[in-house]
Amino acid sequence: MADDLISKGNSVLRLHSMDHDRQTEDDGTTVQSRVDPLSHMDHMDLSVMVFFTLKDLKVGNSMPIYFRKKDSSKSPRFLPRQEADSIAFSLKELPNLLRLFSFSRDSPQAKAMEATLRECESQAIKGETKFCATSLESMLGFASSIFGSNTRFKTLATEHLTKSSTLFQNYTVLTTPEEIPAPMMVACHTVPYPYAVLYCHSQVTENRVFKVSLDGENGDKVTAVAVCHKDTTQWNRNHVSFRVLGIEPGTPGVCHFFPADNFVLVPDP
């Protein structure tokens, strides 16, 4: 369990939480799109094209999806827990942290650090428990507090089975999606920081977790992890998913795919 997470923890750091109103960043990679029918979306940030509805999970159905891809060799690494715990992780300490990491106040790195700290200190929505893990040990501890100390759990993450630089294209559902039993779940998202930090959260509302086999227009093969939320009434009315899907705020059954550097933890019977 821990070994699996250590290997995944070395993936890149970007904030890409989809479960409510989060700020996302482009990774700087040029988006390559062969999806001509989506010209009406040219004004939209393509990185938000990860949302769909439950009825879209049908064999043979095609949908436009953006899968962020990162070079894990350039990713910040997790610090040992003792070292991570010795460094303040607080917005009020930001000036001292910028001096520690030698970032100027107006630098992109400083702005990213501030955004992460604000996000980590923001109030959770109703029914949500959230935690920013600055080490693998603290992330495992948070998961155990959600599932119970005696409950085994496993990691689910999106896998790219082919190598490609294409980020955005139409994908077709190849087989009936596999639903993963998930009476409880913890979703963890990488966030930008000088060392690896995970934004993890759990919700008491009902969610459904799927593994979906996808085939891209250019031949890309992806086994994608997706989560569907049955209750979105607590989400921000301006949540990007409602705009992307053209649905009313609070509509149930909003789903999204996870990029490969995020993951879901579920109990392992």
Side-chain angles (χ1 to χ4, degrees), residues 220-242:
D220 281 359
K221 306 290 185 184
V222 181
T223 301
V225 170
V227 171
C228 294
H229 304 276
K230 295 197 70 174
D231 183 2
T232 65
T233 56
Q234 298 300 316
W235 293 15
N236 189 313
R237 290 185 59 83
N238 296 319
H239 191 287
V240 65
S241 63
F242 302 136

Short mmCIF file of all heavy atoms in Angstrom, two decimals, residues 220-242:
data_model
loop_
_atom_site.label_atom_id
_atom_site.label_comp_id
_atom_site.label_asym_id
_atom_site.label_seq_id
_atom_site.Cartn_x
_atom_site.Cartn_y
_atom_site.Cartn_z
N ASP A 220 -4.60 6.56 -28.66
CA ASP A 220 -4.26 6.52 -27.23
C ASP A 220 -5.18 5.57 -26.48
O ASP A 220 -6.40 5.56 -26.69
CB ASP A 220 -4.40 7.92 -26.62
CG ASP A 220 -3.22 8.81 -26.94
OD1 ASP A 220 -2.30 8.34 -27.61
OD2 ASP A 220 -3.23 9.98 -26.51
N LYS A 221 -4.61 4.77 -25.61
CA LYS A 221 -5.38 3.87 -24.76
C LYS A 221 -5.22 4.34 -23.31
O LYS A 221 -4.10 4.51 -22.83
CB LYS A 221 -4.88 2.43 -24.88
CG LYS A 221 -4.84 1.89 -26.30
CD LYS A 221 -6.24 1.66 -26.86
CE LYS A 221 -6.15 1.01 -28.24
NZ LYS A 221 -7.49 0.86 -28.87
N VAL A 222 -6.35 4.54 -22.64
CA VAL A 222 -6.33 5.03 -21.27
C VAL A 222 -7.30 4.21 -20.42
O VAL A 222 -8.42 3.94 -20.85
CB VAL A 222 -6.74 6.52 -21.20
CG1 VAL A 222 -6.68 7.03 -19.75
CG2 VAL A 222 -5.86 7.37 -22.10
N THR A 223 -6.83 3.79 -19.25
CA THR A 223 -7.74 3.24 -18.25
C THR A 223 -7.93 4.34 -17.22
O THR A 223 -7.02 4.62 -16.42
CB THR A 223 -7.17 1.98 -17.58
OG1 THR A 223 -6.93 0.98 -18.58
CG2 THR A 223 -8.15 1.42 -16.56
N ALA A 224 -9.06 5.00 -17.28
CA ALA A 224 -9.27 6.22 -16.51
C ALA A 224 -10.11 5.97 -15.27
O ALA A 224 -11.07 5.20 -15.30
CB ALA A 224 -9.94 7.28 -17.39
N VAL A 225 -9.74 6.64 -14.20
CA VAL A 225 -10.54 6.64 -12.98
C VAL A 225 -11.50 7.83 -13.05
O VAL A 225 -11.10 8.95 -13.39
CB VAL A 225 -9.66 6.74 -11.73
CG1 VAL A 225 -10.50 6.98 -10.46
CG2 VAL A 225 -8.83 5.48 -11.57
N ALA A 226 -12.75 7.55 -12.75
CA ALA A 226 -13.78 8.60 -12.76
C ALA A 226 -14.60 8.52 -11.49
O ALA A 226 -14.84 7.43 -10.96
CB ALA A 226 -14.68 8.46 -13.99
N VAL A 227 -15.05 9.67 -11.01
CA VAL A 227 -15.92 9.74 -9.85
C VAL A 227 -17.17 10.51 -10.24
O VAL A 227 -17.11 11.54 -10.91
CB VAL A 227 -15.22 10.44 -8.67
CG1 VAL A 227 -16.21 10.70 -7.53
CG2 VAL A 227 -14.06 9.61 -8.16
N CYS A 228 -18.33 9.97 -9.83
CA CYS A 228 -19.62 10.62 -10.07
C CYS A 228 -20.22 11.02 -8.73
O CYS A 228 -20.28 10.20 -7.80
CB CYS A 228 -20.58 9.70 -10.81
SG CYS A 228 -20.06 9.32 -12.50
N HIS A 229 -20.65 12.27 -8.62
CA HIS A 229 -21.20 12.81 -7.39
C HIS A 229 -22.72 12.91 -7.51
O HIS A 229 -23.24 13.60 -8.39
CB HIS A 229 -20.60 14.20 -7.13
CG HIS A 229 -19.11 14.20 -7.07
ND1 HIS A 229 -18.40 13.89 -5.93
CD2 HIS A 229 -18.18 14.46 -8.03
CE1 HIS A 229 -17.10 13.97 -6.18
NE2 HIS A 229 -16.94 14.31 -7.45
N LYS A 230 -23.43 12.25 -6.61
CA LYS A 230 -24.89 12.26 -6.68
C LYS A 230 -25.48 13.53 -6.07
O LYS A 230 -26.60 13.91 -6.40
CB LYS A 230 -25.45 11.03 -5.97
CG LYS A 230 -25.10 9.71 -6.64
CD LYS A 230 -25.98 8.58 -6.17
CE LYS A 230 -27.40 8.74 -6.69
NZ LYS A 230 -28.25 7.56 -6.35
N ASP A 231 -24.73 14.20 -5.19
CA ASP A 231 -25.24 15.40 -4.54
C ASP A 231 -24.28 16.56 -4.79
O ASP A 231 -23.14 16.54 -4.32
CB ASP A 231 -25.40 15.16 -3.04
CG ASP A 231 -26.01 16.37 -2.31
OD1 ASP A 231 -26.34 17.37 -2.98
OD2 ASP A 231 -26.16 16.30 -1.08
N THR A 232 -24.72 17.56 -5.55
CA THR A 232 -23.88 18.73 -5.82
C THR A 232 -24.52 20.00 -5.25
O THR A 232 -24.14 21.10 -5.65
CB THR A 232 -23.66 18.90 -7.34
OG1 THR A 232 -24.93 19.18 -7.97
CG2 THR A 232 -23.05 17.65 -7.95
N THR A 233 -25.47 19.85 -4.35
CA THR A 233 -26.21 21.01 -3.85
C THR A 233 -25.34 21.96 -3.03
O THR A 233 -25.68 23.14 -2.90
CB THR A 233 -27.41 20.56 -2.99
OG1 THR A 233 -26.94 19.72 -1.92
CG2 THR A 233 -28.42 19.78 -3.84
N GLN A 234 -24.23 21.46 -2.48
CA GLN A 234 -23.35 22.32 -1.69
C GLN A 234 -22.26 22.98 -2.53
O GLN A 234 -21.48 23.78 -2.02
CB GLN A 234 -22.70 21.50 -0.56
CG GLN A 234 -23.69 20.91 0.43
CD GLN A 234 -24.50 21.98 1.13
OE1 GLN A 234 -23.98 23.01 1.57
NE2 GLN A 234 -25.81 21.74 1.23
N TRP A 235 -22.19 22.64 -3.81
CA TRP A 235 -21.15 23.21 -4.67
C TRP A 235 -21.45 24.67 -4.98
O TRP A 235 -22.61 25.09 -5.00
CB TRP A 235 -21.05 22.43 -5.97
CG TRP A 235 -20.55 21.03 -5.83
CD1 TRP A 235 -20.45 20.28 -4.69
CD2 TRP A 235 -20.12 20.18 -6.90
NE1 TRP A 235 -19.97 19.03 -4.98
CE2 TRP A 235 -19.76 18.94 -6.32
CE3 TRP A 235 -20.00 20.36 -8.27
CZ2 TRP A 235 -19.27 17.87 -7.09
CZ3 TRP A 235 -19.52 19.30 -9.04
CH2 TRP A 235 -19.17 18.08 -8.45
N ASN A 236 -20.40 25.41 -5.26
CA ASN A 236 -20.54 26.79 -5.72
C ASN A 236 -21.42 26.82 -6.98
O ASN A 236 -21.22 26.03 -7.91
CB ASN A 236 -19.14 27.35 -6.02
CG ASN A 236 -19.16 28.84 -6.30
OD1 ASN A 236 -19.97 29.34 -7.06
ND2 ASN A 236 -18.24 29.54 -5.67
N ARG A 237 -22.37 27.74 -7.01
CA ARG A 237 -23.28 27.82 -8.17
C ARG A 237 -22.52 28.14 -9.47
O ARG A 237 -23.01 27.88 -10.56
CB ARG A 237 -24.36 28.87 -7.93
CG ARG A 237 -25.38 28.48 -6.87
CD ARG A 237 -26.49 29.52 -6.78
NE ARG A 237 -27.19 29.68 -8.05
CZ ARG A 237 -28.19 28.89 -8.47
NH1 ARG A 237 -28.57 27.87 -7.72
NH2 ARG A 237 -28.77 29.11 -9.63
N ASN A 238 -21.33 28.71 -9.33
CA ASN A 238 -20.53 29.05 -10.50
C ASN A 238 -19.51 27.97 -10.83
O ASN A 238 -18.58 28.21 -11.61
CB ASN A 238 -19.82 30.39 -10.28
CG ASN A 238 -20.79 31.53 -10.14
OD1 ASN A 238 -21.79 31.61 -10.87
ND2 ASN A 238 -20.53 32.44 -9.20
N HIS A 239 -19.65 26.80 -10.22
CA HIS A 239 -18.71 25.71 -10.47
C HIS A 239 -18.61 25.46 -11.97
O HIS A 239 -19.60 25.42 -12.70
CB HIS A 239 -19.18 24.45 -9.76
CG HIS A 239 -18.16 23.36 -9.75
ND1 HIS A 239 -17.82 22.62 -10.87
CD2 HIS A 239 -17.37 22.89 -8.75
CE1 HIS A 239 -16.90 21.74 -10.56
NE2 HIS A 239 -16.60 21.87 -9.28
N VAL A 240 -17.38 25.30 -12.44
CA VAL A 240 -17.13 25.18 -13.88
C VAL A 240 -17.85 23.99 -14.51
O VAL A 240 -18.22 24.02 -15.69
CB VAL A 240 -15.61 25.11 -14.15
CG1 VAL A 240 -15.01 23.85 -13.58
CG2 VAL A 240 -15.31 25.23 -15.65
N SER A 241 -18.10 22.93 -13.74
CA SER A 241 -18.74 21.74 -14.30
C SER A 241 -20.14 22.06 -14.82
O SER A 241 -20.56 21.53 -15.86
CB SER A 241 -18.84 20.63 -13.25
OG SER A 241 -19.65 21.02 -12.16
N PHE A 242 -20.88 22.93 -14.12
CA PHE A 242 -22.23 23.26 -14.56
C PHE A 242 -22.20 23.99 -15.90
O PHE A 242 -23.06 23.79 -16.76
CB PHE A 242 -22.94 24.12 -13.50
CG PHE A 242 -23.03 23.47 -12.15
CD1 PHE A 242 -22.76 24.18 -10.99
CD2 PHE A 242 -23.37 22.13 -12.02
CE1 PHE A 242 -22.85 23.59 -9.74
CE2 PHE A 242 -23.46 21.52 -10.78
CZ PHE A 242 -23.20 22.25 -9.64
#
